[in-house]
């Protein structure tokens, strides 16, 4: 549980910090970023929003580009941003060097197939190891919410739907809503999970939502000029499944917005306020 | 005056756009970014804040990291961010490939020495060519303010102090306040302007402020944990010169903040509000 601080920047009266640590779940060193709002100085445990980034990202993209710290400081919310996959010279990546599998593309699942199953266990890292580390090392309570973008939106949905009781609310920007039926998901799942598609079901939000044990506040924003909307993201599948299951999904189609961080920045304040309400 | 649109992202109800154009001043192709707030759709000319970035930056850093668009949308303010130097394979850079001279380090001056004087004329580009292009191509008025960071803070100060009547207000984050007496400035000026130091005086804000013809609202923020504070930035020189000249400088030392965009993001709203007041 030793944490090496590798960056520290004052921001909106609080602190943006980056840490390196050895992850036993992932069997490699990992870096995460945390935003500690000014209220953290008082020592009272604060609620935590876990943010899962999309393909190719690290812990840095959200912290640098989302403009989230102003509102997090106002709300007294900690934000934790892990990396998007295990990394390092001993962690195998995409054999062709592609950006949509392997390093930067862990898909927030536990791989079952060799050689991926040694390191690619991002679900357990995000849901268990990282929160335990955060709650032991910072003035962070066990009131957790989860959000993410694209692959990370998929991750946020799946982590929360698979683990009743762990989170208070879920949100996503342009999530990969049905990974079992889109090219990004099919490529990743066929390698991480193997060719038996029946095992894929437990990592697909549109399928998991049908059997969800709890109902959490769930907010999804999707730009209607997003280049990946039709082929990869498929929010209509999530919406149909939520409707059939009676799951209270608020899906908002945002006119003119694309897949970029400019889209995320435009609506992140509303997501933080949404989570803060659920976190109390 | 032909503009090639190379990026377009909806952001806070307005648009972030990037354009490539041929600059006659710099004798090369240049890229700039513009944020058009939602009010631009109404067609009435809006005031413009010109933002000058620091060493190594392009038009992208500020637009992606400063979190400025939320407040610009609220205030109805256009923001224009040029690149930090001429670029291209025919534009000479630092002979040793250093990051503090040449490409990404134009210092917002007009070079007098060969080979730099062919392309390195960022002052004339920022003060004349770019605003003429912006005002002819977008719903932008001639109500201009100027701001910047580090090398760009120096640029903002010098552009405004040298050109009475062109700007309504000036602000800067961690500006290089006395480039004639710091390593970054001495390296750049000795090459762009030559070894005769008497020619350097007209590009140094701490010297220019003594003979300023007009008094503009001037706001400077400086972090007290900035690694470059003592050796490179020297805000005390600017403050002493402003005090001697009776120039109304508001210099704020911000406790705990460093030289990063986290610092800029923390105070950009106040700078935008400051400029909006001056722009009417």
């Amino acid at each position: 549980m030793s944490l090496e601080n590798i960056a520290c920047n004052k921001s909106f009266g609080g602190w943006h910090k980056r840490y390196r640590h050895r992850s036993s779940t992932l069997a490699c060193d990992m870096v995460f970023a945390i935003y500690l709002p000014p209220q953290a100085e008082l020592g009272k445990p604060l609620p935590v929003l876990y943010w899962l980034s999309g393909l190719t990202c690290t812990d840095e993209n959200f912290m640098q580009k989302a403009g989230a710290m102003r509102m997090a400081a106002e709300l007294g919310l900690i934000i934790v941003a892990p990396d998007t996959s295990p990394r390092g010279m001993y962690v195998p990546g995409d054999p062709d060097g592609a950006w949509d599998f392997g390093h930067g593309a862990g898909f927030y699942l536990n791989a079952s197939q060799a050689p991926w199953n040694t390191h690619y266990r991002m679900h357990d890292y995000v849901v268990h190891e990282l929160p335990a580390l955060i709650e032991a090392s910072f003035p962070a309570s066990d009131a957790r919410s989860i959000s993410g973008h694209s692959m990370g939106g998929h991750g946020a949905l799946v982590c929360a739907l698979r683990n009743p009781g762990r989170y208070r609310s879920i949100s996503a920007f342009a999530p990969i809503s049905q990974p079992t039926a889109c090219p990004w998901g099919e490529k990743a799942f066929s390698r991480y999970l193997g060719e038996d598609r029946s095992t894929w079901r437990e990592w697909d939000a549109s399928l998991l939502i049908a059997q969800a044990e709890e109902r959490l506040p769930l907010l999804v924003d999707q730009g209607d000029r997003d280049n990946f909307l039709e082929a990869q993201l498929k929010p209509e599948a999530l919406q149909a499944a939520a409707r059939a299951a009676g799951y209270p999904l608020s899906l908002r189609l945002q006119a003119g917005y694309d897949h970029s961080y400019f889209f995320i920045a435009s609506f992140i304040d509303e997501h933080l306020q949404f989570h803060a309400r659920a976190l109390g």
Side-chain angles (χ1 to χ4, degrees), chain A residues 53-240:
Chain A
S53 284
L55 289 165
T56 76
C57 289
T58 68
D59 65 290
E60 295 195 287
N61 303 64
F62 179 80
M63 292 298 189
Q64 293 184 359
K65 295 183 176 180
M69 296 178 196
R70 189 187 64 89
M71 184 57 71
E74 194 174 313
L75 297 169
L77 198 58
I78 292 174
I79 303 177
V80 173
D83 203 345
T84 53
S85 78
R87 302 227 189 220
M89 57 190 299
Y90 301 108
V91 176
D94 187 279
D96 307 315
W99 53 268
D100 57 0
F101 182 80
H103 294 185
F107 275 83
Y108 305 103
L109 49 69
N110 296 329
S112 60
Q113 305 297 298
W116 319 111
N117 54 357
T118 307
H119 299 284
Y120 287 84
R121 304 185 58 80
M122 285 296 290
H123 172 271
D124 280 2
Y125 174 72
V126 164
V127 174
H128 300 293
E129 185 180 4
L130 185 60
L133 185 61
I134 296 295
E135 289 157 30
S137 311
F138 301 95
S141 78
D142 62 1
R144 308 175 201 100
S145 288
I146 193 162
S147 184
H149 175 227
S150 195
M151 175 183 75
H154 142 76
L157 288 160
V158 169
C159 287
L161 291 168
R162 283 174 62 100
N163 295 278
R166 296 258 335 145
Y167 301 98
R168 305 276 180 90
S169 49
I170 322 169
S171 80
F173 292 83
I176 301 175
S177 296
Q178 194 179 28
T180 59
C182 76
W184 281 338
E186 289 174 318
K187 175 178 177 179
F189 284 17
S190 64
R191 295 180 181 185
Y192 291 135
L193 303 172
E195 293 298 342
D196 176 2
R197 289 189 172 229
S198 70
T199 67
W200 296 11
R201 299 182 57 85
E202 51 185 315
W203 304 102
D204 182 307
S206 294
L207 301 173
L208 288 168
I209 208 165
Q211 62 205 54
E213 286 177 33
E214 68 178 354
R215 298 285 180 268
L216 296 178
L218 171 54
L219 172 64
V220 175
D221 272 320
Q222 172 65 56
D224 75 355
R225 298 260 202 107
D226 186 321
N227 285 335
F228 302 112
L229 177 52
E230 286 182 28
Q232 304 281 9
L233 303 176
K234 303 181 187 286
E236 67 284 358
L238 184 68
Q239 190 172 41

Side-chain angles (χ1 to χ4, degrees), chain A residues 238-258:
Chain A
L238 184 68
Q239 190 172 41
R243 202 169 276 160
Y247 201 105
L249 162 66
S250 171
L251 170 64
R252 310 189 302 187
L253 209 61
Q254 301 288 4
Y257 288 88
D258 61 22

